[in-house]
Amino acid sequence: MVITRKIEFSASHVCRNPEMSEPENQALFGLEANPRGHGHNYVVEVSVRGDPDAVTGMVMDLKELQEILNREVVGPYDHRFLNYETPPFDRVIPTAENIAHDIWRRVAPCVGNPVRGLYAVRVRETPDLYVDYFGETPCSA
Ligand code: NI
């Protein structure tokens, strides 16, 4: 079974590659490349896969998952200018794809155990764009 918890945060970013020229960045990223940055209201869905526990009937206590997401994602991301305040985005372009990968890296070790593991991270940057990441699960679930 797969259970999913949704969280939201607001953050600013700039998407540009410092190895590229200004015209190249403009062509590739458009307004996203403006160095002043701009904000998005991100919606993140984190899914955990496993079997319901025989005693609790739950794959995972959703309060515990909420606490993990607050600590590992909302804390480092909310109301931040990601390029300047939230590593690794001082050196990694903070696209929705790279944000999904970073959230996976932060959350997977906290939810994995021998009978369950992180299954998916979905990052919505706008209502009509989202990215799904299915990374390596650090357990057999
Ligand atoms: Ni943007």
Side-chain angles (χ1 to χ4, degrees):
M1 288 192 193
V2 177
I3 61 167
T4 300
R5 181 112 217 179
K6 181 172 83 172
I7 57 166
E8 301 185 17
F9 62 84
S10 300
S12 298
H13 73 168
V14 177
C15 289
R16 56 188 296 120
N17 186 328
E19 315 262 298
M20 293 180 182
S21 69
E22 184 60 33
E24 285 173 324
N25 272 298
Q26 288 291 335
L28 186 57
F29 295 108
L31 291 173
E32 293 281 322
N34 187 319
R36 287 194 300 270
H38 59 274
H40 294 284
N41 296 315
Y42 291 91
V43 178
V44 176
E45 295 170 23
V46 173
S47 299
V48 177
R49 178 179 172 182
D51 290 325
D53 181 82
V55 174
T56 67
M58 297 187 286
V59 172
M60 182 173 185
D61 184 338
L62 285 171
K63 290 193 306 295
E64 184 192 352
L65 182 54
Q66 181 74 51
E67 287 164 8
I68 290 167
L69 296 177
N70 283 340
R71 185 184 71 232
E72 299 294 329
V73 182
V74 177
Y77 277 79
D78 194 31
H79 288 83
R80 307 288 182 168
F81 197 143
L82 299 178
N83 305 65
Y84 301 108
E85 298 183 84
T86 308
F89 302 115
D90 52 334
R91 58 190 189 281
V92 174
I93 302 171
T95 57
E97 291 90 329
N98 285 336
I99 290 171
H101 183 266
D102 183 60
I103 290 173
W104 180 284
R105 187 188 61 75
R106 290 172 185 267
V107 172
C110 303
V111 303
N113 72 18
V115 296
R116 67 168 195 240
L118 189 56
Y119 175 69
V121 172
R122 173 170 287 182
V123 174
R124 292 181 190 271
E125 191 173 271
T126 67
D128 54 4
L129 166 74
Y130 65 81
V131 171
D132 289 327
Y133 182 59
F134 302 92
E136 292 295 314
T137 304
C139 80
S140 57

